[in-house]
């Protein structure tokens, strides 16, 4: 394909994408295919000779679309949202074209510098304490990680390294292996599975802290566990707080937990993967109060801030803690400015070496929506969730299982888990909307997360009508 053909095909592709998004609600949100469906539709081997572009495009509908779960359909209410906007898609095209691998400042200065400034822009939108921003006198700054899971892991590894240094400063002869064998990390029992996984990868003990009746970790619960573990000779070093838990969007009490972590030299990381985007709205910003006690904070603009995957933003108060944990400096990666103190080399902030020019997506989205546009988007989703909540509350057969704070509604039929499992099976088998469940206090609960950019009140009404009708069927079938 030469540049002339690329111009033509590119324009066609933009039309294809715009048609897909504009007409997405006409597609069945969840596919009908069985495992292995795709292998039978394409050849066993790559073609020896080049094929025709038209044939390839035709295969998108034949091979790919039948197996797509349409995350951007206004009938998709599962998991949490994944962002999608036209400005971000255009920026991604440009990022693909520039195609740089921005592991150091010298590897592509614009890639590094735009990222640093975008993280400051976003940090200011969130009213993060100045210490987290790079363009200040402080020692902090931000970085784009691929996912929240990576941010949690990077923070845990940095915390591990910091604690080893702290202990060895007092006891230089204490072997690292001995310290590591005593380290213990903590998170809420409601934390995302990626937190436990970070503990497994980091080779440290991980303990889950029980939550209160709002599914939040309170200071007292952490204090109790710390007392036990310290008495057992363990070394607490890391606490991952969640703001907006995956099951129910609960908020750990970071204003209580932070001071405890600070006084115990425990690294407090905040995982706000979904909820973080909402903090750009002044009315939701109080949920972030206590961030001043954190060592690191992360959320996913690729979930709810219209920046397509992947873009998981992470800020640290002390750059040197994170850089110091992972530094490797082979000759072929060095450059003349690296010790100047004027540049950032993001390879030291992350696990992989390579990194795409992801900040372009933030730049396009922030400039073309403006903070007001982004706030309006968040508010619209929260309003739609409240609308769904009001339908649930108006039906005596149902109950709400957790406070509806942002765009997630946890609800269930009053009755057994079996009844609710039957309802969910019916909903997903009908494939008109798509939901996933969660477990809260031993109960099987349905999660209704407002996800797509194109979701409107009429879709929510329709979704409720559908749920309500299938509830009648489930109630007839299952004794309750
Ligand atoms: C609270 C929380 N943390 C972490 C994650 C994992 O996010 P990622 O896919 O960016 O690793 C999720 C995903 O929904 C989440 O809800």
């Amino acid at each position: 394909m030469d540049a002339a053909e690329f111009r033509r095909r590119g324009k066609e592709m933009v039309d294809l994408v715009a048609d897909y998004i504009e007409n997405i609600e006409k597609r069945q949100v969840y596919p009908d295919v069985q495992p292995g469906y795709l292998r039978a539709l394409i050849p066993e081997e790559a073609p020896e000779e080049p094929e025709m572009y038209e044939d390839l495009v035709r295969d998108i509908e034949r091979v790919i679309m039948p197996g797509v779960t349409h995350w951007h359909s206004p009938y998709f209410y599962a998991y949490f949202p994944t962002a999608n906007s036209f400005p971000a898609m255009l920026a991604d095209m440009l990022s693909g074209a520039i195609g740089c691998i921005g592991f150091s400042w010298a590897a592509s200065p614009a890639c590094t510098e735009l990222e640093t400034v975008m993280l400051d822009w976003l940090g200011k939108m969130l009213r993060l304490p100045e210490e987290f921003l790079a363009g200040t006198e402080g020692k902090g700054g931000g970085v784009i990680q691929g996912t929240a899971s990576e941010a949690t892991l990077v923070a845990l590894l940095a915390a591990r390294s910091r604690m080893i240094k702290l202990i060895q400063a007092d006891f230089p002869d204490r072997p690292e292996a001995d310290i590591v064998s005593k380290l213990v990390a903590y998170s809420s029992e409601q934390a995302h599975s990626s937190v436990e996984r970070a503990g497994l990868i980091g080779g440290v003990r991980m303990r889950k802290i029980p939550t209160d009746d709002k599914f939040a970790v309170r200071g007292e619960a952490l204090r109790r566990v710390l007392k036990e573990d310290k008495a057992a000779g363990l070394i607490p070093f890391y606490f991952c707080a969640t703001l907006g838990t995956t099951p129910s969007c609960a908020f750990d009490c970071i204003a209580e937990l932070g001071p405890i972590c600070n006084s115990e030299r425990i690294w407090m990381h905040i995982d706000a993967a979904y909820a973080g985007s909402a903090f750009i709205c002044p009315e939701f910003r109080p949920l972030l109060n206590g961030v001043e006690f954190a060592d690191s904070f992360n959320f996913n603009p690729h979930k709810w801030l219209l920046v397509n995957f992947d873009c998981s933003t992470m800020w640290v108060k002390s750059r040197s803690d994170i850089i110091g944990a992972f530094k490797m400096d082979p000759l072929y990666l060095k450059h003349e400015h690296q010790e100047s103190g004027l540049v950032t080399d993001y390879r030291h902030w992350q696990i992989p070496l390579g990194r795409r020019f992801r900040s372009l997506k933030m730049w396009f989205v922030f400039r073309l929506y403006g903070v007001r546009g982004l706030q309006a988007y968040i508010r619209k989703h929260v309003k739609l969730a409240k609308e769904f909540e009001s339908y649930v509350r108006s039906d005596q057969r149902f109950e709400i299982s957790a406070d509806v704070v942002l765009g997630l509604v946890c609800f269930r039929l009053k009755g057994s888990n079996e009844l609710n499992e039957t309802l969910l099976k019916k909903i997903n088998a009908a494939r008109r909307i798509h939901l996933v469940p969660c477990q809260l206090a031993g109960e099987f609960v349905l999660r209704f997360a407002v996800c797509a950019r194109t979701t409107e009140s009429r879709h929510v009404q329709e979704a409720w009508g559908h749920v309500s009708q299938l509830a009648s069927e489930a109630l007839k079938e299952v004794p309750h």
Side-chain angles (χ1 to χ4, degrees):
M1 187 179 287
D2 59 15
E5 188 182 357
F6 177 70
R7 280 178 207 282
R8 189 155 56 90
R9 298 307 188 191
K11 284 163 194 149
E12 287 170 13
M13 182 54 78
V14 167
D15 279 340
L16 189 152
V17 169
D19 286 346
Y20 172 69
I21 299 283
E22 267 186 346
N23 296 305
I24 198 165
E25 68 178 86
K26 295 183 194 140
R27 294 180 184 262
Q28 182 175 283
V29 60
Y30 193 73
D32 279 325
V33 296
Q34 295 302 313
Y37 91 95
L38 190 142
R39 187 176 280 280
L41 298 178
I42 60 172
E44 285 292 326
E45 277 158 37
E48 209 55 53
E49 300 296 332
E51 292 189 49
M52 299 297 293
Y53 184 80
E54 287 80 358
D55 293 340
L56 175 54
V57 168
R58 215 170 293 123
D59 277 355
I60 297 173
E61 280 303 327
R62 186 181 71 86
V63 178
I64 303 299
M65 287 302 171
V68 171
T69 300
H70 298 287
W71 282 63
H72 304 290
S73 160
Y75 297 114
F76 182 92
Y77 300 103
Y79 314 106
F80 273 140
T82 190
N84 190 320
S85 72
F86 293 122
M89 281 190 263
L90 290 175
D92 227 0
M93 242 176 114
L94 179 60
S95 166
I98 294 173
C100 62
I101 305 294
F103 48 74
S104 69
W105 179 86
S108 202
C111 178
T112 296
E113 294 203 9
L114 187 66
E115 182 161 335
T116 307
V117 180
M118 285 306 101
L119 269 285
D120 274 6
W121 276 20
L122 185 53
K124 287 178 193 167
M125 281 188 224
L126 297 165
R127 306 268 179 273
L128 282 186
E130 288 225 330
E131 299 155 274
F132 286 100
L133 307 183
T136 62
E137 296 302 302
K139 299 183 186 130
V143 58
I144 302 177
Q145 304 282 359
T147 60
S149 311
E150 282 167 69
T152 301
L153 175 61
V154 164
L156 179 134
L157 296 176
R160 190 178 74 161
S161 155
R162 185 175 81 175
M163 185 52 87
I164 292 168
K165 280 187 201 139
L166 280 172
I167 292 179
Q168 287 186 333
D170 292 338
F171 306 98
D173 297 334
R174 189 161 177 189
E176 182 170 325
D178 175 52
I179 300 170
V180 171
S181 73
K182 297 276 185 288
L183 291 178
V184 53
Y186 304 93
S187 74
S188 160
E189 61 184 1
Q190 297 284 321
H192 191 264
S193 56
S194 54
V195 182
E196 191 172 349
R197 199 143 177 257
L200 284 176
I201 299 171
V204 292
R205 267 186 203 79
M206 175 69 75
R207 235 186 122 170
K208 293 185 183 173
I209 313 279
T211 53
D212 67 5
D213 59 347
K214 300 273 185 204
F215 308 108
V217 176
R218 306 296 306 257
E220 205 33 56
L222 177 63
R223 226 181 249 118
R224 248 192 321 271
V225 172
L226 289 178
K227 200 169 158 203
E228 278 170 27
D229 285 353
K230 287 200 296 183
L234 298 178
I235 308 169
F237 79 104
Y238 177 77
F239 175 67
C240 177
T242 309
L243 295 182
T245 57
T246 317
S248 68
C249 201
F251 293 81
D252 290 343
C253 296
I254 52 171
E256 290 176 10
L257 297 158
I260 303 172
C261 290
N262 288 178
S263 70
E264 299 279 347
R265 306 195 300 184
I266 295 171
W267 182 300
M268 183 163 87
H269 174 69
I270 299 175
D271 170 11
Y274 162 70
S277 298
F279 305 151
I280 65 164
C281 298
E283 66 273 34
F284 298 124
R285 176 57 178 78
L287 294 165
L288 186 59
N289 288 350
V291 66
E292 59 276 17
F293 300 111
D295 293 281
S296 51
F297 168 69
N298 163 251
F299 84 98
N300 288 347
H302 73 224
K303 276 191 162 50
W304 202 14
L305 211 58
L306 294 163
V307 181
N308 286 45
F309 192 86
D310 53 342
C311 181
S312 183
T313 44
M314 177 188 194
W315 290 262
V316 288
K317 235 185 221 164
S318 165
R319 295 189 284 270
S320 59
D321 282 341
I322 198 165
I323 295 167
F326 307 118
K327 200 157 186 176
M328 283 280 157
D329 236 354
L331 189 57
Y332 47 83
L333 297 179
K334 282 185 195 284
H335 60 91
E336 59 177 335
H337 294 290
Q338 70 178 37
E339 303 301 340
S340 67
L342 298 173
V343 302
T344 304
D345 283 344
Y346 277 125
R347 70 178 187 278
H348 302 310
W349 297 55
Q350 61 174 23
I351 292 165
L353 174 68
R355 53 202 335 273
R356 298 169 65 240
F357 200 160
R358 292 177 288 210
S359 55
L360 281 172
K361 290 183 288 196
M362 298 172 75
W363 197 44
F364 273 48
V365 168
F366 295 167
R367 292 185 63 181
L368 297 178
Y369 277 89
V371 178
R372 288 229 184 109
L374 295 170
Q375 289 170 334
Y377 178 64
I378 297 286
R379 287 175 181 138
K380 180 178 162 191
H381 273 202
V382 177
K383 194 166 164 225
L384 291 171
K386 297 275 180 198
E387 180 179 341
F388 189 81
E389 179 192 13
S390 72
Y391 298 143
V392 176
R393 286 197 189 279
S394 67
D395 187 327
Q396 292 302 308
R397 301 171 301 170
F398 284 91
E399 62 194 2
I400 292 287
S401 306
D403 289 351
V404 179
V405 181
L406 299 175
L408 176 69
V409 184
C410 289
F411 70 107
R412 68 195 303 279
L413 277 167
K414 291 173 188 162
S416 66
N417 284 348
E418 189 194 350
L419 174 64
N420 283 284
E421 281 170 38
T422 304
L423 172 59
L424 185 69
K425 264 194 206 129
K426 283 181 177 296
I427 291 171
N428 285 334
R431 287 169 162 70
R432 281 180 51 196
I433 61 172
H434 188 46
L435 304 183
V436 294
C438 69
Q439 204 171 42
L440 290 175
E443 290 190 327
F444 186 93
V445 169
L446 283 71
R447 289 170 81 266
F448 180 93
V450 178
C451 285
R453 181 171 51 80
T454 50
T455 309
E456 300 290 344
S457 172
R458 69 185 167 87
H459 301 113
V460 172
Q461 284 168 40
E462 209 181 305
W464 169 250
H466 188 53
V467 169
S468 164
Q469 183 201 328
L470 294 176
S472 305
E473 289 180 21
L475 283 161
K476 272 188 215 140
E477 280 172 33
V478 182
H480 51 281

